[in-house]
Amino acid sequence: MTTIVALCIGVVGVVMLVVAQVLRRRASRMPDRGTPELAALHAEVRDTLDRAGWVASVKIYRRRTGAGLLEAYQAVDRIAHDETRGRGSTR
């Protein structure tokens, strides 16, 4: 009986960890674009892209946000494409 209870507690714990991770990722994909912190991060990532390239930009994004590698790469890619589109439309 004790084994079954321990197994159930373990399963519930794992499910809670998975749900927490899914919610964390979902929340990180929906940033408030109006915050000064986010604008500063985007500016820093763009500057680093120009100076040092993709690897350094992804490292900075990960350090500042706590994002995973793939998530950070995708965010830097979005930032780079937003910058490219912005340059193309203003000139």
Side-chain angles (χ1 to χ4, degrees):
M1 182 69 173
T2 306
T3 307
I4 294 173
V5 171
L7 183 61
C8 288
I9 291 171
V11 168
V12 169
V14 169
V15 169
M16 289 175 67
L17 288 172
V18 169
V19 169
Q21 184 66 22
V22 167
L23 291 175
R24 180 181 170 273
R25 286 186 180 179
R26 194 176 287 173
S28 70
R29 291 184 182 141
M30 298 185 316
D32 180 11
R33 294 197 179 267
T35 62
E37 297 84 17
L38 187 62
L41 174 62
H42 283 207
E44 184 178 3
V45 167
R46 280 188 221 106
D47 181 51
T48 306
L49 270 170
D50 292 339
R51 287 185 299 106
W54 280 88
V55 174
S57 297
V58 170
K59 283 182 182 180
I60 285 175
Y61 190 90
R62 289 186 74 192
R63 189 178 322 124
R64 296 266 311 267
T65 64
L69 182 60
L70 179 60
E71 190 177 345
Y73 175 81
Q74 291 169 342
V76 170
D77 189 48
R78 281 193 307 272
I79 292 168
H81 282 88
D82 288 346
E83 177 69 13
T84 303
R85 275 188 244 133
R87 285 183 184 170
S89 64
T90 58
R91 289 183 181 181

